[in-house]
Amino acid sequence: SQQGEEDPQALSIQEGENATMNCSYKTSINNLQWYRQNSGRGLVHLILIRSNEREKHSGRLRVTLDTSKKSSSLLITASRAADTASYFCATGLIYNQGGKLIFGQGTELSVKP
Amino acid sequence: DTGVSQDPRHKITKRGQNVTFRCDPISEHNRLYWYRQTLGQGPEFLTYFQNEAQLEKSRLLSDRFSAERPKGSFSTLEIQRTEQGDSAMYLCASSLDSVGMSGNTEAFFGQGTRLTVV
């Protein structure tokens, strides 16, 4: 079953603009992770934020986590055409819910040169 | 290349045939996961192993599906009597520690096996 809802489902921007994707989830989590997937390929890990963290940065990526609202956002600054991909949030669940990641539906990002 | 590798990358089979996929995780990773992904959807959890023990199976994993990790290294996923609804990308991932629970670890994914049932 899917845990997360991502918003928007698709996003089209111009190169140089910022892209923001949002993720909401349902159950208590240990961490939330963002992955990227190029068309027809495997997923690549981007960033992990723990449940006791509120914000994290990695290069052009900024992730926020609001556990009271059960939501997270991924911001990609100064986007490039090479950022075109699908982006998924995934939740690492707490103790009694198993040691697996549950993925959202994804946001398809298109960055036009 | 020391990443997660999956074989084959593509498989076309006739309905009713059996298929088997292989996953070789990163060598020191004790956890191995199988996911299924259909077009336009996120990966759906199927099952995971800690070493050779299969710790959890999704309800998506019907009786026609079986997964093994006999020596705690590579894993196989077999689908018996394939149906058209089994057409999907099957993704394998591994991690050094738990991705949830007491661990906070990332998962490393293979490129996937794309199954088409005709």
Side-chain angles (χ1 to χ4, degrees), chain B residues 15 18 29 40 59 80 89-90 96 98 116:
Chain B
R15 190 174 53 186
N18 298 346
H29 287 186
R59 287 171 295 174
Q80 296 182 327
M89 173 82 89
Y90 289 83
L96 186 59
S98 176
T116 304

Short mmCIF file of all heavy atoms in Angstrom, two decimals, chain B residues 15 18 29 40 59 80 89-90 96 98 116:
data_model
loop_
_atom_site.label_atom_id
_atom_site.label_comp_id
_atom_site.label_asym_id
_atom_site.label_seq_id
_atom_site.Cartn_x
_atom_site.Cartn_y
_atom_site.Cartn_z
N ARG B 15 1.89 -15.51 -21.16
CA ARG B 15 1.03 -15.76 -20.01
C ARG B 15 1.04 -17.23 -19.65
O ARG B 15 0.96 -18.10 -20.52
CB ARG B 15 -0.40 -15.30 -20.36
CG ARG B 15 -1.36 -15.28 -19.21
CD ARG B 15 -2.69 -14.68 -19.63
NE ARG B 15 -3.21 -15.34 -20.81
CZ ARG B 15 -4.29 -14.94 -21.47
NH1 ARG B 15 -4.95 -13.87 -21.07
NH2 ARG B 15 -4.71 -15.59 -22.53
N ASN B 18 6.53 -19.45 -16.20
CA ASN B 18 7.20 -19.05 -14.97
C ASN B 18 8.43 -18.20 -15.32
O ASN B 18 9.08 -18.43 -16.35
CB ASN B 18 7.67 -20.28 -14.19
CG ASN B 18 6.52 -21.17 -13.76
OD1 ASN B 18 5.36 -20.77 -13.80
ND2 ASN B 18 6.85 -22.38 -13.37
N HIS B 29 25.88 -5.50 2.46
CA HIS B 29 24.53 -5.16 2.89
C HIS B 29 23.78 -6.40 3.33
O HIS B 29 23.66 -7.37 2.59
CB HIS B 29 23.76 -4.47 1.75
CG HIS B 29 24.21 -3.08 1.50
ND1 HIS B 29 23.57 -2.25 0.61
CD2 HIS B 29 25.22 -2.35 2.04
CE1 HIS B 29 24.18 -1.07 0.60
NE2 HIS B 29 25.18 -1.12 1.47
N GLY B 40 3.94 5.17 -14.04
CA GLY B 40 3.32 6.34 -13.41
C GLY B 40 3.05 6.20 -11.93
O GLY B 40 2.45 7.10 -11.34
N ARG B 59 0.91 -8.15 1.14
CA ARG B 59 -0.27 -8.86 0.62
C ARG B 59 -0.25 -8.92 -0.90
O ARG B 59 -0.93 -9.74 -1.51
CB ARG B 59 -1.54 -8.16 1.09
CG ARG B 59 -1.84 -8.37 2.56
CD ARG B 59 -2.97 -7.47 2.99
NE ARG B 59 -2.61 -6.06 2.90
CZ ARG B 59 -3.46 -5.06 3.11
NH1 ARG B 59 -4.72 -5.31 3.40
NH2 ARG B 59 -3.06 -3.81 3.02
N GLN B 80 5.23 -17.61 -10.74
CA GLN B 80 4.70 -18.79 -11.44
C GLN B 80 3.40 -18.41 -12.15
O GLN B 80 2.66 -17.52 -11.70
CB GLN B 80 4.45 -19.91 -10.43
CG GLN B 80 5.72 -20.42 -9.76
CD GLN B 80 5.44 -21.57 -8.81
OE1 GLN B 80 4.39 -21.63 -8.19
NE2 GLN B 80 6.37 -22.49 -8.71
N MET B 89 7.83 -3.18 -13.61
CA MET B 89 9.27 -3.15 -13.34
C MET B 89 9.45 -3.73 -11.94
O MET B 89 8.77 -3.30 -10.99
CB MET B 89 9.77 -1.70 -13.37
CG MET B 89 11.22 -1.55 -12.94
SD MET B 89 12.35 -1.92 -14.27
CE MET B 89 12.48 -0.30 -15.01
N TYR B 90 10.35 -4.69 -11.80
CA TYR B 90 10.64 -5.28 -10.51
C TYR B 90 11.99 -4.75 -10.05
O TYR B 90 13.02 -4.95 -10.69
CB TYR B 90 10.61 -6.80 -10.60
CG TYR B 90 9.19 -7.30 -10.79
CD1 TYR B 90 8.61 -7.34 -12.06
CD2 TYR B 90 8.40 -7.65 -9.70
CE1 TYR B 90 7.30 -7.73 -12.24
CE2 TYR B 90 7.08 -8.06 -9.86
CZ TYR B 90 6.55 -8.08 -11.14
OH TYR B 90 5.23 -8.47 -11.31
N LEU B 96 22.61 -1.30 4.25
CA LEU B 96 23.56 -1.80 5.25
C LEU B 96 22.85 -2.07 6.58
O LEU B 96 23.18 -3.01 7.29
CB LEU B 96 24.66 -0.76 5.44
CG LEU B 96 25.83 -1.14 6.34
CD1 LEU B 96 26.54 -2.38 5.81
CD2 LEU B 96 26.81 0.02 6.43
N SER B 98 18.82 -1.15 8.79
CA SER B 98 17.41 -0.96 8.53
C SER B 98 17.16 0.44 7.99
O SER B 98 17.74 1.42 8.46
CB SER B 98 16.62 -1.15 9.82
OG SER B 98 15.27 -0.87 9.59
N THR B 116 7.34 -8.03 -19.18
CA THR B 116 6.16 -7.89 -20.03
C THR B 116 5.56 -9.26 -20.25
O THR B 116 6.24 -10.18 -20.73
CB THR B 116 6.53 -7.26 -21.39
OG1 THR B 116 7.17 -6.01 -21.17
CG2 THR B 116 5.28 -7.05 -22.24
#
